[in-house]
Amino acid sequence: MLLAEAGCVFMGFILYISGVQGQTNSICALKGSSVDLLCSAKHPTSSMKWYTAHWNGSTLVQNELSVDGNRITYEPEENHPALTINDLRESDANFYCCRENTDQPQLCWDNKIQLIVSDLQVKVIPATEGQTVTLMCSTSCPLTETPAAYIWYKNGEFLYQDWSPWYQQLVSSEEAVRYSCAIKGYEDLRAPEVSVDSITSTCFTVTYAKGRMCSYKQTSEDEPCSITYPREVHVQKTAENHVTLTCHTSCPLTDSQTAYRWYHDGYINIKTESQQSDSPSSVENISCAVKGLEDLLSAEVCTKDQNCWTVNYISRRICALQGSSVNISSEYSYPNNQLPHSKSWFKITRSGKKEVKELIKPAGHVEYYDNMKNHHILRINNLKKNDSAEYTFRLQRQNGEWKQSDSPGVTLVVTGLEVKFTPSAVVTEGQRVTLTCSTSCPLTDNTNYIWYLNSRPLTLPENQNKHLVLDPVSSQHAGNYSCAVKTHNNISSREKTLTVHSKTGKWTPAAAAGVGAVLLVIIPLTVFCWIRRKRTSSQSPRIETSDNLEQLNPGRVYDEISAQPTEQDDLHYSEVCFHQNHADPLYSTVQPHQPQEEVPYAVVNIRPNTTPE
C-alpha cells in the first residue's frame, strides 16, 4: 500500500466529499465532513431507497436507512438517487446500497458501497537522529484525492502550509508546545493537539488532547491522555515445549494495557492484540508493532529456523533533496535450497482507489547494487518531486511467485528548498526577522546550511542551521536571499527578496546624502532668484509678473537638477565585523552560544542610480 507506514500519506476524498465528486465502491471520509453516495445498482431508478447491510453471524441483514431531512438526506434524482450524510460520525461507517425492496439481501451486498469515517490525527514517530521525533498529519484510512495542502498549527496559531503531510522539522520534547494540523479547505476539522512531553534513548511520551489515539488506552476518546511509546521494537523467540514469540520493546515504561499488532508473512493478524503470540505452523515469518504506532514495525524473523523468506529495510523513512541522490537499502534472507529467481524494487503509487505497482528497472537515473551478501540497494540519482513514493523490495521464487507482504516499504519524500520570512518579506527597521530554509520534510539534525545575500555567501558562525535571525533588522539587510545545504551546495533555493523600510523620521546615510545634494543646489538657486527679483523691482510691473510666473513653474529647474552628475558615483560601505560580545549582531542563527572571537560579514556595496549621459 502506498505510504502505508506513513499512515496514508497521500490522502484525499472519494465520491462527493464536501462537493468533490467521483465514484468507487469504497469511501474514506473525514469525521465531521459531508459525503454524497451515488447509487451503485446496475440499473438505478428514482424509486430506489437506501439501505445498510451487515452480517449477523451467517445471516445477511438489510435495514432501510432512516432519513431525517437534515443531517441525512435523500435526493431521488432520475437514474442517480443520491444519499447525503452531513457532519459525518464514526457510527455512519457502514455498508450502503440502494434497492427498490428488501428481497434478496445478497443483491444489496453485491452492490454495496463501504463508507469508512476517519478523524485527522498528528502521529508522533521516533526519529533515528538523537532524541527527536517526527510528526505527520495522518488518517486511519487512505483518502484518495490529494489535498490542496496540509496546514500546521503551533499552540493554536497558524504556522505554515505545505503539500507534504510531514512536519518540516524534527521535534524535541517540550511540554508547553502543542502541535495540530488540518487539510486546507477543512480547517474546522483540525486534528486534536499533541505535545511531546519527554524523549529518552528508549522511550518517548506524548499527550493527546483527545482522539482515537486515546481509545487505545482508555474508553473515552474525548478526554486527554498521555501515552509512553518505545523507540524500538523487535520479536523475541523462545522455544521450550513450543515456540513463543514476544513483541519486546525498548521501553520499560510501556503501559501494561498496551495492545500489539502481529503480522504473519507480512499480513496483519486481527485475532490477537496480546504481547505474546504462538507460532502457527503455516507461517514462515512474523513481525510486530505497538498498536497506534504501526509505523514502528519490527524486523521480520523466521518462526522455525534461520532460513526462510524475509525482507527488511535499513530505514523506512527518507527525506531527500531534489536534485540529490539517495540509497534505499534492503536486507533479505531465503532458504538455503531455494535461491531467488530475481530481486527487484517496485514503486507504489495510488490514484483514486487504484494502486499502481511499477517495476523499477536499473536504467537512466536508477541503479541496482547487489554486490553484498543478503543486501540490496536501490540508488536514485538526480531526484525529482515525482520520485516521492513508497518503494518495496521483492524476491521472486523459482516458481515465479513474488514474496508478497502487507507490511510497508520505504517512504521517500523528495523536497526542494525555499526561503521563508517571518513575520513578513516587507519589514521596518528595528524589527526582528527570521529567515527559514524550509523543506517539505525534516532533514537530519546534523544538516548544515549556507545562506546567500545577493548571490554572495554570508560568513556566519559555524554550525549554521536552517534559521537566520536579523535582530534588529536594518537597511543593510535588504536584498535577495537564498539558501543551500552544505553537503549539496550545488542545490540551492530560489532567491527571495527582503524589503526593509526606514522608520519615519529616521535618516539613513543614503537618504541623507541625497537630500544634502539637492539642498546644495536649491539654496544657491533661491539666493540667485531673490537677487534678480530685487534688481528688477524698479522695472515694469509686467516684467516682474512675468518673472514671478516663471518661478511658479519650476519643472524645468528640477529636471536640470536631477540630471546633474553627483559627486558620489560610488558609495562604499566597509566590511562590517562584529565581536562576539556585540549586543546586536548583524546576522545570527538560532543556536546555543558558542565562543568566537570575530564574526565577519560580506562587504556591502551600494551604488546610487545615475542617469547616463
Side-chain angles (χ1 to χ4, degrees), residues 251-487:
C251 183
L253 303 177
T254 304
D255 198 296
S256 59
Q257 298 179 350
T258 299
Y260 295 83
R261 297 285 197 194
W262 287 94
Y263 298 84
H264 293 174
D265 291 332
Y267 295 93
I268 190 168
N269 175 25
I270 60 175
K271 295 181 180 179
T272 179
E273 292 186 349
S274 63
Q275 189 174 8
Q276 290 188 333
S277 173
D278 292 331
S279 176
S281 58
S282 60
V283 175
E284 280 191 342
N285 61 70
I286 198 165
S287 59
C288 70
V290 172
K291 186 177 181 180
L293 191 64
E294 288 84 357
D295 309 88
L296 186 65
L297 185 66
S298 77
E300 291 183 336
V301 298
C302 298
T303 57
K304 299 177 181 61
D305 51 44
Q306 299 301 317
N307 299 311
C308 69
W309 298 93
T310 65
V311 172
N312 295 301
Y313 301 98
I314 307 301
S315 176
R316 292 186 182 268
R317 290 172 296 277
I318 300 176
C319 177
L321 283 175
Q322 187 174 353
S324 66
S325 299
V326 67
N327 289 337
I328 304 176
S329 301
S330 171
E331 294 177 337
Y332 60 90
S333 67
Y334 53 87
N336 291 335
N337 59 345
Q338 300 181 44
L339 290 175
H341 177 69
S342 67
K343 292 165 276 189
S344 301
W345 287 88
F346 289 80
K347 177 181 180 181
I348 304 177
T349 55
R350 174 173 297 179
S351 176
K353 185 184 176 183
K354 188 177 181 181
E355 185 177 85
V356 179
K357 298 180 179 68
E358 176 190 356
L359 175 64
I360 304 298
K361 296 181 179 180
H365 71 305
V366 175
E367 299 175 273
Y368 277 5
Y369 290 93
D370 190 23
N371 53 3
M372 292 180 287
K373 183 179 180 181
N374 294 8
H375 194 92
H376 202 281
I377 296 176
L378 168 67
R379 181 176 178 85
I380 307 176
N381 300 304
N382 191 23
L383 284 167
K384 300 175 177 60
K385 284 286 184 70
N386 59 10
D387 289 320
S388 295
E390 179 185 352
Y391 292 85
T392 61
F393 177 71
R394 294 184 180 178
L395 300 170
Q396 188 178 33
R397 309 182 193 216
Q398 291 295 335
N399 61 5
E401 293 182 358
W402 292 93
K403 181 187 179 325
Q404 302 288 342
S405 175
D406 257 356
S407 60
V410 177
T411 300
L412 171 65
V413 180
V414 181
T415 177
L417 297 173
E418 181 182 3
V419 174
K420 293 184 177 180
F421 300 101
T422 305
S424 171
V426 181
V427 294
T428 303
E429 284 189 322
Q431 286 187 252
R432 175 188 173 96
V433 182
T434 301
L435 284 68
T436 302
C437 192
S438 177
T439 55
S440 295
C441 53
L443 297 174
T444 58
D445 259 351
N446 59 0
T447 303
N448 288 324
Y449 296 82
I450 304 172
W451 285 94
Y452 298 88
L453 173 57
N454 297 329
S455 302
R456 302 180 69 176
L458 293 174
T459 305
L460 299 174
E462 292 183 1
N463 301 322
Q464 301 176 38
N465 63 22
K466 65 188 303 177
H467 301 290
L468 178 66
V469 177
L470 313 178
D471 188 16
V473 69
S474 70
S475 59
Q476 298 178 58
H477 294 117
N480 299 319
Y481 285 86
S482 62
C483 64
V485 172
K486 197 168 185 178
T487 53

Side-chain angles (χ1 to χ4, degrees), residues 45 91 100 144 163 193 217 242 338 362 400 409 452 454 464-465 537 601:
T45 64
S91 59
E100 291 182 342
T144 55
W163 66 270
E193 289 185 320
K217 184 176 181 181
H242 63 281
Q338 300 181 44
Y452 298 88
N454 297 329
Q464 301 176 38
N465 63 22
S537 61
Y601 296 86

Side-chain angles (χ1 to χ4, degrees), residues 223-236:
E223 297 178 1
C225 63
S226 292
I227 306 176
T228 299
Y229 292 110
R231 290 173 59 89
E232 184 184 351
V233 178
H234 67 273
V235 175
Q236 192 173 49

Side-chain angles (χ1 to χ4, degrees), residues 167-183:
Y167 187 63
Q168 293 177 346
Q169 301 183 60
L170 296 174
V171 174
S172 301
S173 59
E174 194 171 356
E175 294 184 32
V177 179
R178 307 180 312 277
Y179 299 92
S180 182
C181 66
I183 293 176

